[in-house]
Amino acid sequence: MMVEKKKTTTKKTETKKQEAKKVAPVKQEVKKQAAAPAPAAQNAVAAPGATTQKDARIGVFICHCGTNIAGSMDIQAVQDYAKTIPHVAYVDNYKYMCSMPGQTLIQKAVKENNLTGVVVAACTPRLHEPTFRTATKDAGLNPFRFEMANIRDQNSWVHMHDREGSTEKAKDAVRIAVAKAALLQDLFPKSVPVEPAAMVVGAGVAGMQASLDLAAAGIKTYLIESDMSIGGRMSQLDKTFPTLDCSQCILTPKMVDVGRSEKIELMTWSEVENVEGYIGNFEVTIKKKARGVMTPKEAAAKGIVGGGCNGCGDCDAVCPVIKPNVFEVGMKPRKAIYINHPQVVPLIYTIDFNACVKCGLCVTACGPEKRAIDLNMQDEFIKVKVGTVILATGYDIFPIENKQEWGYKRYENVITSLEFERLICASGPTGGHLVRPSDGQTPMRVAFVLCAGSRDNTGIGKPYCSRFCCMYSLKHAHQIVEKIPGCVPYIFYMDIRSFGKMYEEFYYRIQNEGAKFIRGRVANILEDPKTKNLHVYADDTLLDRPVDMEVDLVVLAAAIEPKADTNRTRKLFGVSCSQDGWLLEAHPKLNPCGTTTAGVFLAGVCQGPKDIPDTVAQAEGAASAASIPIHMGEVELEPYFAQCIEEKCAGCGMCVNLCPYSALSLVEKNGRTVMQVTEAKCKGCGTCGGFCPGGAIWMQHFATPQIVAQIDAFLLGGEE
Amino acid sequence: MSESKANHTFAFYLGCIAPNRYPGCESAAIKTCKKLGIDLVPLKGASCCPAPGAFGAIDLNVWYAMAARNLVLAEQMKMDIALLCNGCYKSIWEVNHKLKHNKDLRDGVNEVLKEIDMEYKGTCNVYHIAELLYNEKYVGVNKVRDSVVTPMTGARIAVHYGCHLTKPHKDREFEKSIMLNTEHPSWMEELVAAIGATPVEYRNKMQCCGAGGGVRGYDIVHSLDITNEKMINIMEAKADALTNICPFCQLQFDRGQIEIKEKFGISYDLPVLHFCELLGLAQGMSPQELGLDLHAISCEPFLQKVL
Ligand SMILES: Cc1cc2nc3c(=O)[nH]c(=O)nc-3n(C[C@H](O)[C@H](O)[C@H](O)COP(=O)(O)OP(=O)(O)OC[C@H]3O[C@@H](n4cnc5c(N)ncnc54)[C@H](O)[C@@H]3O)c2cc1C
Ligand code: SF4
Ligand code: SF4
């Protein structure tokens, strides 16, 4: 193979020149650039039998996509036209080109008609480029000899009612694709080895499950958590619907497993600082925030034998600084040196340096043996190499005080569901007794406001459904009926979304337990200043009458939103988000764990609202997907690299600074300074190629002559 | 006290209730604005806005056309409109907004205006005076504070926002960018504090005055029932006076108290002042100059407290 490749070098350079001559000029400069000979490196990958434009024989295959395409244009007219395009040697159409018979059609036609390139006019490369590349390869051609014409998403779907217009547009699209196909070259993807380690960002139930799965598959996993302990939101919950098992009871064993696993390197109080590289070879810089307290391991490394934090809490007892405990949603105090709750993993205290007055009392209390506390600790930066990454950064609660009509933060007895979880939880601030914040009394009438800030098109709340609030509010209703005899839950809802396994049955159960359901959106809540009771105003849309309900406590099922720093995180990893801010999956149905960045996967609520069962399922999917490249040992990179045409390179180095991926450098070659591409780093963005003043950069698969041919095909309507 | 040099000029749209029932509102608006660098020039030839409840609820095309005519008068003066009534704001601001954004509607309205040789072009903007007072671009709370010569120290004042200025939230642009929220705003309280008075919170302050939407004209008892509920809540907060930014709300609270006395036998005797009137007092104008003697409920007890 290697020998053959070399043989073609000179021939290819010449043919390239000939091709370029054939290209009709658009502008003089473009023409000059287009005439550039392909670089030596370029030719090295061209296979024997590479065609010139002259002997290119292109097959065009037009897809009906059922009626998606055929319903909006005249396929026969497009086919008849395609036959007249230069270089087209074969034309056919079929109902579903992507199906087995469709693909067989391509293979047969290539062999029987000695085709050199394939054009499929159908949907989008995003959906089916891989499919048709494989078909092209199976037909015996290099897979990069395939070109797609998008006549569905950007044509029949948008011009559904303009049959004539869409037919003409399809003709253009086919002609443009053929122009490029005639100039396509054989390309060979490179394989790079994959670092046999993974990283998971965020240690909620999603991140924990993904890490445990990766570890079980024998993969070294770095689990990065920004908080001082793991567990995420689930560790704040009391019970879980619909089975009502205690959240702690099912989560803590997993937390312990994560802490104990030899394959998992858990880094709490840490954040991702920087990311470089690509699938198989991510180089991630992690910031270990100064925690002020050393683990036994860290103490040992400093020569303090038998030292480090053992979680005794002696420091906590003496610290004079009091702050609200965020884990308890501010309803319980903590010290400047603290743990979130008694069951934390890892059981290591942390100092909140924004609050600490550096009095040193904790250092003394900790004592000369453990010497765990270091008030001068600095942030540390650690670099690790991993092959794949899973993002599992979870969610925040929408600031529901922005919906001012419900009075959260104005009326003491209006709380959120998360506060409810802590108040009803045995390990919470009240030991599991639900009380009114205003007077500590047990409420006997509790209103639940569903869709609080969700499904809200006022511009203040969120347009989407937060997906688990219906179900947890039913759970809450059950919990108060169970714990407080005679207490009545009033549930104000739009519609109850009990969509999961055994969820509808749970809904019936709560109805039978005596919860009252009022179908209507709460318009306004007013406090009675004397009793601090609340009047809930709504329209009962089933009875068609206004409601003024006096209750003792209101629980707002507040919407959820992406974590505040989601944008920063996603940009580090080159991941997109959908318009509502949640991280964007590669395909909503067929690739819900992947992202458009190879090697980066998603798990849990960071991708969109979902309950624990769905979160865990996605986490297991992401772990499986993230382990595939690691188990394969190497990954193929798309061969869309930039190449330097060394004879033309002036060594000015401008492109080196422009490249957003640091893929370019200057090297000495034969006594000259020329640019060199690190292919594995190049993402083929084309920034350098578009810029180079000497036209010395060749973008594989998007080379100037290929693009000029497409433009000409469009502007000149196929005439030379 | 020197009057600051006028650096903003607006066509002043009076509406109906202010000049007919509370002429003090009109003079208060002109005089207080003058001191804050805003010249209010009469919008000559203006008609009723027309009232959103009376016209807008019955025949939208009449509502559009009449409001558009008022807008064209301002366009001809090459000025933006300032007004002092929430109802007028609803008609004139909203019709302007609709016509600017909807070509079909604009063409339809211009068809009608052609009969009187007018054409709506969409070149003017509409502002409520309260908005100008709060927005730093024109006046701002600090400048209001600086204009005070007789601070209303010790006066407990309840604030009534009214409905049409801030709702519907979705298309009220100024409110989103400057006044932030419609469900529990506090910018009027800031203005009240700026003249030295103490704004008081009361239950359900965003409730309607009871007059709007044609309710006053159609079902006076129901309308007064709403007003009465507001009065109970305001009295509970021990307010010395109620301030508002809409002559129609003012009418409902001021004359409404007399009607409540007649119909329900309850008397509150709570003075009701448009914010411009209140600001006039703080800027040292006399109660007569501000037409306070023309109110149905005597302002005397309040005046004795603050002057
Ligand atoms: C009141 C309430 C009750 C609920 N009840 C139930 C129930 O009964 N049953 C049920 O199935 N579901 C319930 N849920 C839903 C449940 O909480 C979620 O499905 C689940 O917690 C999602 O887990 P996660 O790991 O995706 O996200 P999270 O739990 O939010 O975990 C994300 C983790 O990532 C960390 N993190 C975030 N950003 C970064 C970063 N940049 N770097 C490092 N770490 C980061 C966070 O600190 C956190 O530890 C309830 C939710 C609420 C609000
Ligand atoms: S040094 Fe800081 S953490 Fe330690 S006891 Fe003092 S305030 Fe608390
Ligand atoms: S889950 Fe239920 S309460 Fe939550 S947003 Fe969706 S419909 Fe509303």
Side-chain angles (χ1 to χ4, degrees):
Chain A
M1 194 64 183
M2 276 311 289
V3 185
E4 284 175 342
K5 274 192 217 164
K6 280 207 178 106
K7 262 197 226 159
T8 61
T9 308
T10 40
K11 183 184 166 207
K12 187 67 202 181
T13 313
E14 285 164 18
T15 55
K16 206 67 228 168
K17 273 182 190 156
Q18 287 165 9
E19 280 169 26
K21 269 184 203 145
K22 285 224 132 195
V23 172
V26 173
K27 275 188 183 171
Q28 214 41 41
E29 304 97 281
V30 180
K31 191 184 166 197
K32 260 166 106 191
Q33 263 205 44
Q42 174 65 27
N43 299 321
V45 294
T51 51
T52 65
Q53 195 188 25
K54 212 168 166 185
D55 52 30
R57 294 174 57 79
I58 308 299
V60 176
F61 302 87
I62 305 159
C63 182
H64 299 206
C65 196
T67 54
N68 271 303
I69 296 170
S72 314
M73 69 177 68
D74 184 345
I75 299 276
Q76 192 56 45
V78 179
Q79 167 145 353
D80 291 345
Y81 172 77
K83 283 184 188 148
T84 68
I85 303 172
H87 303 298
V88 172
Y90 180 83
V91 189
D92 209 343
N93 69 79
Y94 187 65
K95 215 171 192 60
Y96 300 103
M97 279 310 302
C98 55
S99 66
M100 202 56 211
Q103 295 192 41
T104 313
L105 204 73
I106 297 177
Q107 288 158 23
K108 226 171 121 230
V110 168
K111 289 189 179 124
E112 287 175 3
N113 299 285
N114 213 6
L115 301 179
T116 62
V118 172
V119 167
V120 177
C123 45
T124 68
R126 237 181 90 116
L127 191 65
H128 274 320
E129 190 173 70
T131 314
F132 294 123
R133 278 210 178 134
T134 308
T136 308
K137 191 173 168 201
D138 289 349
L141 290 176
N142 181 286
F144 293 89
R145 295 291 187 129
F146 161 74
E147 181 67 15
M148 193 146 192
N150 179 342
I151 60 166
R152 190 188 73 173
D153 301 31
Q154 290 166 359
N155 189 343
S156 66
W157 278 358
V158 273
H159 310 298
M160 210 170 273
H161 306 293
D162 179 6
R163 203 176 163 78
E164 217 168 282
S166 57
T167 305
E168 288 310 306
K169 189 170 169 181
K171 290 178 185 172
D172 285 346
V174 169
R175 185 176 69 245
I176 293 167
V178 169
K180 180 164 178 187
L183 291 178
L184 284 174
Q185 296 171 292
D186 291 357
L187 294 175
F188 298 90
K190 288 217 160 146
S191 289
V192 291
V194 174
E195 187 71 28
M199 173 173 291
V200 177
V201 184
V205 63
M208 284 165 46
Q209 184 65 48
S211 302
L212 287 169
D213 281 13
L214 287 165
I219 295 167
K220 161 100 187 175
T221 304
Y222 298 91
L223 177 54
I224 315 299
E225 168 58 54
S226 56
D227 200 358
M228 55 94 65
S229 62
I230 62 173
R233 293 282 170 211
M234 190 176 164
S235 60
Q236 290 177 288
L237 308 181
D238 181 37
K239 292 185 171 176
T240 55
F241 61 76
T243 43
L244 298 174
D245 30 12
C246 139
S247 188
Q248 287 289 335
C249 313
I250 56 178
L251 190 69
T252 32
K254 274 196 196 291
M255 287 167 37
V256 173
D257 286 351
V258 167
R260 219 171 19 207
S261 168
E262 280 179 4
K263 284 285 180 188
I264 299 177
E265 188 159 338
L266 176 58
M267 296 183 181
T268 52
W269 208 241
S270 299
E271 277 162 16
V272 175
E273 182 70 17
N274 188 35
V275 183
E276 272 172 31
Y278 46 92
I279 180 171
N281 297 278
F282 291 108
E283 222 177 81
V284 186
T285 311
I286 298 155
K287 174 164 131 190
K288 273 186 82 181
K289 297 181 278 184
R291 172 173 217 150
V293 180
M294 283 183 279
T295 63
K297 221 167 145 188
E298 286 162 348
K302 288 207 163 176
I304 307 169
V305 185
C309 181
N310 64 2
C312 67
D314 291 348
C315 52
D316 189 324
V318 297
C319 176
V321 179
I322 294 180
K323 285 274 150 188
N325 184 344
V326 175
F327 181 83
E328 300 289 0
V329 207
M331 293 184 295
K332 205 174 172 178
R334 65 153 168 83
K335 299 296 184 60
I337 189 162
Y338 71 106
I339 48 175
N340 278 337
H341 57 94
Q343 293 78 33
V344 286
V345 172
L347 180 52
I348 303 289
Y349 273 76
T350 301
I351 297 179
D352 169 2
F353 278 112
N354 291 324
C356 170
V357 294
K358 302 224 170 173
C359 62
L361 288 175
C362 55
V363 180
T364 317
C366 190
E369 263 97 70
K370 285 177 276 163
R371 279 196 279 160
I373 301 173
D374 173 4
L375 292 176
N376 297 316
M377 200 183 264
Q378 298 295 318
D379 293 349
E380 233 183 285
F381 294 88
I382 297 165
K383 263 195 182 170
V384 298
K385 269 193 104 176
V386 295
T388 52
V389 175
I390 296 174
L391 300 179
T393 52
Y395 65 98
D396 271 333
I397 307 288
F398 170 75
I400 196 63
E401 60 272 24
N402 289 355
K403 295 289 291 179
Q404 293 184 322
E405 57 269 47
W406 299 322
Y408 181 65
K409 289 201 174 163
R410 242 177 333 118
Y411 306 143
E412 285 172 83
N413 294 329
V414 175
I415 63 171
T416 65
S417 299
L418 195 59
E419 287 167 329
F420 181 96
E421 290 282 349
R422 294 315 299 153
L423 288 172
I424 204 85
C425 180
S427 61
T430 54
H433 297 289
L434 180 68
V435 293
R436 279 159 45 104
S438 69
D439 53 14
Q441 295 297 311
T442 306
M444 296 309 287
R445 299 164 298 181
V446 181
F448 292 91
V449 178
L450 269 56
C451 303
S454 301
R455 306 172 70 190
D456 177 322
N457 288 319
T458 62
I460 294 175
K462 304 288 177 185
Y464 49 79
C465 165
S466 293
R467 276 192 93 213
F468 41 63
C469 8
C470 277
M471 286 306 295
Y472 72 55
S473 296
L474 294 176
K475 169 185 79 178
H476 292 168
H478 164 82
Q479 284 174 296
I480 56 174
V481 170
E482 184 186 61
K483 277 202 169 179
I484 310 171
C487 181
V488 187
Y490 295 96
I491 298 177
F492 290 85
Y493 69 103
M494 298 223 281
D495 37 36
I496 295 289
R497 300 193 163 174
S498 49
F499 53 92
K501 188 171 176 180
M502 299 302 287
Y503 287 13
E504 189 70 5
E505 293 86 335
F506 187 68
Y507 177 23
Y508 293 145
R509 172 177 168 189
I510 308 307
Q511 287 177 9
N512 291 332
E513 284 177 355
K516 304 276 182 250
F517 289 81
I518 299 133
R519 197 187 76 179
R521 218 160 190 186
V522 172
N524 197 10
I525 295 174
L526 293 176
E527 182 188 64
D528 182 330
K530 287 194 205 86
T531 60
K532 304 270 176 187
N533 286 350
L534 302 150
H535 286 262
V536 179
Y537 296 93
D539 225 9
D540 186 326
T541 55
L542 288 180
L543 298 180
D544 193 16
R545 65 177 185 210
V547 179
D548 167 3
M549 171 99 54
E550 186 174 348
V551 296
D552 306 318
L553 185 73
V554 170
V555 184
L556 303 176
I560 60 165
E561 62 180 18
K563 275 267 174 208
D565 63 352
T566 297
N567 261 337
R568 180 183 167 268
T569 313
R570 75 173 181 82
K571 281 182 185 152
L572 282 171
F573 290 96
V575 172
S576 316
C577 66
S578 42
Q579 66 182 25
D580 49 18
W582 300 106
L583 298 181
L584 189 66
E585 63 285 340
H587 189 284
K589 288 141 214 161
L590 303 179
N591 195 352
C593 303
T595 68
T596 44
T597 302
V600 180
F601 303 89
L602 305 176
V605 177
C606 64
Q607 179 260 337
K610 56 179 72 66
D611 56 11
I612 297 164
D614 285 1
T615 294
V616 171
Q618 195 185 21
E620 302 212 277
S624 154
S627 67
I628 292 171
I630 293 173
H631 283 145
M632 297 302 290
E634 51 180 38
V635 285
E636 268 191 1
L637 300 180
E638 287 201 309
Y640 303 155
F641 327 121
Q643 295 284 323
C644 180
I645 305 167
E646 284 168 11
E647 311 86 84
K648 298 187 124 201
C649 176
C652 70
M654 309 276 266
C655 56
V656 176
N657 298 327
L658 280 176
C659 174
Y661 305 101
S662 321
L664 311 180
S665 53
L666 290 180
V667 291
E668 294 297 319
K669 258 192 197 166
N670 310 327
R672 286 181 63 222
T673 305
V674 289
M675 182 273 273
Q676 189 176 37
V677 184
T678 307
E679 291 178 352
K681 280 188 174 181
C682 173
K683 296 243 194 314
C685 70
T687 305
C688 57
F691 170 79
C692 178
I697 296 173
W698 178 267
M699 298 303 308
Q700 299 201 132
H701 208 66
F702 295 94
T704 308
Q706 295 166 353
I707 293 172
V708 169
Q710 287 181 286
I711 297 172
D712 281 355
F714 176 61
L715 294 179
L716 306 177
E719 288 160 34
E720 302 221 346
Chain B
M1 189 183 52
S2 71
E3 288 175 9
S4 78
K5 205 176 138 273
N7 40 22
H8 297 284
T9 306
F10 291 91
F12 185 30
Y13 176 78
L14 280 180
C16 307
I17 298 176
N20 288 312
R21 308 285 191 105
Y22 296 99
C25 286
E26 179 186 338
S27 71
I30 296 173
K31 289 179 178 173
T32 53
C33 281
K34 184 105 194 150
K35 286 192 196 298
L36 293 165
I38 292 180
D39 245 342
L40 298 179
V41 184
L43 182 65
K44 287 204 191 106
S47 68
C48 174
C49 56
F55 289 80
I58 291 164
D59 190 333
L60 278 174
N61 289 328
V62 174
W63 189 54
Y64 294 141
M66 282 182 70
R69 183 185 160 276
N70 287 327
L71 285 158
V72 172
L73 292 175
E75 289 184 359
Q76 288 170 349
M77 288 167 78
K78 296 196 169 45
M79 280 183 196
D80 288 342
I81 291 181
L83 42 75
L84 80 175
C85 166
N86 285 359
C88 301
Y89 185 84
K90 160 94 181 166
S91 292
I92 299 191
W93 183 88
E94 198 164 303
V95 170
N96 194 30
H97 184 77
K98 282 189 157 68
L99 293 182
K100 277 190 187 180
H101 292 93
N102 183 339
K103 189 178 177 300
D104 289 347
L105 196 61
R106 193 163 63 232
D107 291 346
V109 161
N110 275 332
E111 197 71 17
V112 177
L113 291 179
K114 218 193 257 164
E115 292 177 27
I116 50 169
D117 292 328
M118 276 187 163
E119 189 195 349
Y120 169 88
K121 298 201 176 76
T123 53
C124 103
N125 296 316
V126 180
Y127 301 94
H128 193 296
I129 285 177
E131 178 189 359
L132 298 177
L133 291 179
Y134 186 73
N135 189 347
E136 266 172 18
K137 209 172 133 198
Y138 303 97
V139 180
V141 175
N142 288 332
K143 250 174 120 180
V144 169
R145 190 181 296 112
D146 292 346
S147 77
V148 170
V149 292
T150 317
M152 305 276 103
T153 317
R156 293 172 58 80
I157 295 185
V159 168
H160 174 78
Y161 283 82
C163 305
H164 293 310
L165 178 62
T166 54
K167 291 185 177 181
H169 164 83
K170 249 188 164 169
D171 48 54
R172 293 290 188 264
E173 289 153 349
F174 82 87
E175 163 271 314
K176 250 177 262 168
S177 56
I178 304 161
M179 306 187 177
L180 297 172
N181 214 306
T182 48
E183 298 296 338
H184 196 76
S186 58
W187 54 271
M188 268 184 81
E189 277 85 348
E190 286 179 53
L191 286 170
V192 165
I195 59 167
T198 308
V200 295
E201 271 290 322
Y202 62 97
R203 189 173 141 87
N204 209 4
K205 77 172 176 188
M206 295 313 287
Q207 192 183 13
C208 172
C209 66
V215 182
R216 184 180 166 80
Y218 170 73
D219 183 352
I220 183 78
V221 175
H222 209 127
S223 149
L224 290 173
D225 200 29
I226 297 173
T227 315
N228 193 37
E229 192 183 322
K230 280 218 80 159
M231 290 306 301
I232 293 171
N233 291 335
I234 293 167
M235 296 313 284
E236 250 171 30
K238 300 199 169 41
D240 299 318
L242 170 69
T243 190
N244 64 82
I245 46 172
C246 169
F248 198 30
C249 299
Q250 170 134 323
L251 179 80
Q252 181 72 359
F253 285 116
D254 186 45
R255 278 174 205 246
Q257 285 186 57
I258 308 285
E259 291 158 340
I260 286 173
K261 204 186 295 179
E262 285 166 13
K263 292 213 159 59
F264 310 150
I266 317 167
S267 49
Y268 297 108
D269 293 325
L270 182 76
V272 181
L273 290 90
H274 192 283
F275 183 74
C276 288
E277 296 177 329
L278 206 53
L279 179 58
L281 287 176
Q283 289 179 345
M285 294 167 206
S286 75
Q288 287 73 24
E289 206 177 341
L290 297 166
L292 297 189
D293 47 337
L294 299 172
H295 287 208
I297 300 291
S298 165
C299 295
E300 264 321 300
F302 174 70
L303 295 174
Q304 272 165 21
K305 181 155 190 174
V306 295
L307 296 183

